[in-house]
Amino acid sequence: MVRNKYAEKRAKRMRRKNLCVVAIVVLVLCCTVYYKKVDLDAKNMEYQKRIEELEKQKKKQEQRADEIDDYKVYVQTKKYIEEEARTKLGLVYPDEIIFEAED
């Protein structure tokens, strides 16, 4: 009977010890998971900001592409050719009179 009590106390201590070890392991795992979650949330916020910046850049580039397309069409018009001939080459129509101011 004395041995039985000693064995019971010993078994009870071992159960407590094992329970404490399991509790500590679970606590460490919970802390690790929480830390990783916070880290991933921060990275997610950075990536969201980067996505917004890239979307803004994309819109600007699309607008620029539209402007280039419009300019490309404008360059092909007769009006543009006449303006360039007048400004860069100094050409005029044969029946046109040009008045220049004296300095």
Side-chain angles (χ1 to χ4, degrees), residues 1-2 11 14-15 22 30 32-33 49 58 60 66 72-74 78 82 86 92-94 98 103:
M1 182 132 167
V2 173
M14 286 298 282
R15 274 187 250 130
V22 169
C30 288
T32 304
V33 168
K49 287 179 184 177
K58 181 183 173 187
K60 285 182 183 178
D66 291 340
K72 191 176 175 182
V73 170
Y74 172 68
K78 187 176 179 180
E82 285 179 7
R86 286 179 192 269
V92 293
Y93 285 109
I98 298 179
D103 291 333

Side-chain angles (χ1 to χ4, degrees), residues 69-81:
D69 289 339
D70 293 342
Y71 186 72
K72 191 176 175 182
V73 170
Y74 172 68
V75 168
Q76 309 263 325
T77 62
K78 187 176 179 180
K79 181 181 176 186
Y80 174 78
I81 294 170

